[in-house]
Every structure is written in structure tokens, then in C-alpha cells.
């Protein structure tokens, strides 16, 4: 955009000689109008008409100039944006912004980025070519070291990322978004994650995002449930790409972080963490399988409990991941046990303490077959995996689960 100076700034006489100025002079004209409107107490009606005439002919340039030159989002900028949208026959979009208090939100610094995101969503449904051009301009501004209005700019850009040709500008987008992923500002973090959720759906971009795995891993431990949910989505989108494998160093760290989330209060986080755990087992590189075994063993007990979760999606995902775990550990005996028993066991019926589990086994109960199946599974599969005398670590042992449980008087004897 040309820099506005007293010498080069067009005067309002320009409109009297021509219908509208040529495109290269639009930024200077709009800057001039903005300066004159903001310096007068009473707004000249002719200036408003001039803005409308200019906006009708060159809407994109007028919008971009306003975003660039206005020191704040004032009444002037909002009213001109409304006029621009009306000229583009976007009456419904203007009224939608009005109903959702979007125009008022633009005038408040604390809510400006929310309102900008809303405006982008309303615009992109009918003005994709314009949004694409605006997105490219915002991308250039956000590539600067310290851009003005970076938070509302980022909010607008994230909403219209899919209007861009990522094969041409994907690298620049990823550079900008990853920079804000490391920001100390929570709003910028969340916007960056939302951007990565969009980018990770593109197979080519997903491969380029592998370098962010360390930063994303750290976010899985965040206290904000929304941040964790979006991070899980990014990982899941990336691992839908069959060409992406989980490295031997990332796999155990990611699996450990996911294991903690199995009992998260947020059902969506819980479901995604279980599904992603299964993906990690499927896509880990060969040299990463051995370090992952210990963590997979730890997952068996919580997965067993969630097989009877009241949320059917969580229950189904737990069963699938439990089967995947048995296959990963090369445990044909566990796979057979899972096929034979439905494993619908209430959490209250299972105890982590082995003596309580032994007592439960001896009790007469209508659900005794289910209890026995659960205790066989836990005792044989997950009890103290670090112990050298644990049955499943004895490679020479040929397991016969029924005989094992029948001959066991007290499960406390298993060290």
C-alpha cells in the first residue's frame, strides 16, 4: 500500500472529476477519508457517499486499507464495513452480526478477536474470493515480528484458512501458527491450535507438522480441557495419515500422556485419548515397540474398566483398544479371554488391592463368573508387571488360565 503523504494524498475533488479512483490510488483515498472523518465533529454526508461509491467499486481494497490504517476499530471502521457488506448484497450477514452483537464486540478490545472470528465465519459463506485475498494480506502482516492487531488478525485468519491454497502458502501459515503456539497468551495458544486443527486435515501439511510434536506433547498436560481436546484432535488428524509413523522417542511419551487422560472428566477428551492410544500402537516404528510394551501393560486395567462405561462410544473404543493391546503384546491368551468373556464388570466390583480381589473371588455371588474372569484377567495380565516373578514374564510358562485360578488359594501369593 502507498504511504499517505500531504503531497500524494488525493483530494476529494478527485470524485468530482471521475466516478471512482483507479485501484492503485484506493488506499490513499480511503486514508484521506478516514483522516477527514475522524477530525470533524460533524460528519460530512458527502464523505459518506464517497466511501460508499468507492466501496462499491473496490470493496476488497477498501477493507484491507481500513484494517491497515485505523488505529483502533472505531465507529467509522464498523459503519464502513457494514456499508461494504450491504453493497456486496450481504444483508443477511450484516443482520447476523447484529443479532450476535458482533459489531459491538468489534469496538471492545477484550472481545475484538471473538467478533473478528464471527465476522470471518459470516463472510466466508458468501465471499470466498474476498476472504482469500484478505487472508493472504493478514498472513503477510502476521509474518512481521510485532504486528499491530495480531490477536484479531489471527482470529480472522484461522476462520478462513481453508480459503487458501496451502500448496503455495502452507509453509508461511505453519510458521505463523507455530510461533503463536509457543505464546504465553492463552487466547493466542487456542487460536494457534484451532489453526493446526485445520492444517492437520491436509495430508501434505500434516507431514510438515511432525516437527511440532514436542510442543504438542507439552500441551497434553495443560489444565485447560479445551487446549487438551484440540491438541488430541491435531494428533489424531496427523495419525490418520498412513505415511506418518510414531518415532521410538515420541511413542512412549505420547502413550504415557494419553494413559493419564483415560479417566478425564471430559468425555470427549477421554474418548480421543483412548482412540489415539490405539493409533500409537498401530503406527509406532518397529524399534519403538519394545519401549512401549511397559506402558501398554499399564493400560490393560483401565481399559478393562472402561469396557463397561456408561458412554457407549467410550466403551466401544476401550474394547477395540484392549484387543489392540493384546495383539501388540503378542498375547494370544488374552485375545482368547477377551473373546470368551464380555467383561461387563462394574468398577466397584474390582479392587486394585490383591487381597480384596482374592476375597471377592471366594465370595458366592450371582456374578461370580464375571468376577472370576475379571480377576483372572487382572491377576494374569497386569498385576505388578515390574516384578521379575510375575507369571507373564516367565517365557517358559505355558499359560492355562482356568487351572491357574483354580489352584490359586490366595492372590496375595503372586508377587
Amino acid at each position: 500500500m502507498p504511504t499517505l503523504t500531504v503531497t500524494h494524498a488525493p483530494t476529494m475533488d478527485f470524485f468530482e472529476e471521475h466516478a471512482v479512483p483507479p485501484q492503485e490510488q484506493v488506499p490513499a483515498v480511503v486514508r484521506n477519508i478516514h483522516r477527514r472523518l475522524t477530525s470533524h465533529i460533524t460528519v460530512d454526508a458527502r464523505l459518506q457517499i464517497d466511501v460508499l461509491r468507492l466501496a462499491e467499486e473496490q470493496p476488497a481494497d477498501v477493507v484491507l486499507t481500513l484494517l491497515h490504517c485505523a488505529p483502533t476499530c472505531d465507529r467509522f471502521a464498523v459503519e464502513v464495513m457494514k456499508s461494504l457488506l450491504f453493497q456486496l448484497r450481504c444483508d443477511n450477514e450484516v443482520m447476523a452480526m447484529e443479532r450476535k452483537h458482533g459489531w459491538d464486540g468489534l469496538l471492545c478490545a477484550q472481545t475484538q478477536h471473538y467478533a473478528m472470528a464471527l465476522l470471518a465465519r459470516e463472510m466466508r459463506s458468501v465471499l470466498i474470493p474476498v476472504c482469500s485475498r484478505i487472508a493472504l494480506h493478514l498472513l503477510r502482516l502476521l509474518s512481521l515480528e510485532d504486528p499491530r492487531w495480531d490477536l484479531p488478525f489471527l482470529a480472522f485468519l484461522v476462520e478462513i484458512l481453508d480459503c487458501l491454497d496451502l500448496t503455495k502458502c502452507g509453509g508461511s501459515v505453519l510458521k505463523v501458527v507455530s510461533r503463536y503456539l509457543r505464546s504465553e497468551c492463552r487466547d493466542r495458544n487456542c487460536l494457534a491450535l484451532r489453526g493446526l486443527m485445520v492444517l492437520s486435515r491436509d495430508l501434505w501439511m500434516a507431514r510438515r507438522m511432525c516437527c511440532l510434536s514436542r510442543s504438542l506433547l507439552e500441551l497434553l498436560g495443560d489444565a485447560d480441557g479445551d487446549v487438551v481436546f484440540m491438541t488430541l484432535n491435531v494428533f489424531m488428524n496427523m495419525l490418520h495419515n498412513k505415511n506418518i509413523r510414531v518415532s521410538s522417542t515420541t511413542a512412549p511419551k505420547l502413550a504415557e500422556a494419553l494413559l493419564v487422560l483415560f479417566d478425564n472428566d471430559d468425555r470427549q477428551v477421554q474418548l480421543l485419548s483412548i482412540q489415539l492410544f490405539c493409533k500409537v500402537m498401530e503406527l509406532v516404528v518397529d524399534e519403538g515397540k519394545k519401549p512401549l510394551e511397559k506402558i501398554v501393560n499399564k493400560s490393560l486395567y483401565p481399559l478393562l474398566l472402561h469396557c463397561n462405561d456408561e458412554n457407549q462410544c467410550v466403551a466401544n473404543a476401550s474394547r477395540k483398544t484392549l484387543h489392540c493391546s493384546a495383539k501388540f503384546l503378542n498375547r494370544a491368551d488374552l485375545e482368547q479371554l477377551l473373546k470368551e468373556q464380555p467383561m461387563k464388570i462394574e468398577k466397584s466390583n474390582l479392587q486394585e488391592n490383591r487381597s480384596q480381589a482374592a476375597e471377592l473371588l471366594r465370595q458366592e455371588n450371582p456374578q461370580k463368573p464375571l468376577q472370576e474372569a475379571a480377576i483372572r484377567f487382572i491377576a494374569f495380565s497386569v498385576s505388578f508387571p515390574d516384578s521379575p516373578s510375575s507369571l507373564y514374564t516367565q517365557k517358559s510358562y505355558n499359560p492355562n488360565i482356568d487351572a491357574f485360578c483354580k489352584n490359586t488359594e490366595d492372590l496375595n501369593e503372586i508377587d
Side-chain angles (χ1 to χ4, degrees), residues 232 258 261-262 268-278:
L232 288 171
L258 294 173
L261 299 174
F262 282 7
Q268 291 180 308
V269 168
Q270 192 178 41
L271 176 61
L272 276 175
S273 63
I274 293 172
Q275 292 174 330
L276 190 55
F277 192 91
C278 190

Side-chain angles (χ1 to χ4, degrees), residues 30 34 62-70 76-77 80-81 84 149:
V30 174
H34 180 266
V62 171
V63 170
L64 292 177
T65 304
L66 284 174
L67 290 174
H68 191 265
C69 75
F76 173 73
V80 171
M81 280 190 278
L84 287 167
W149 288 17

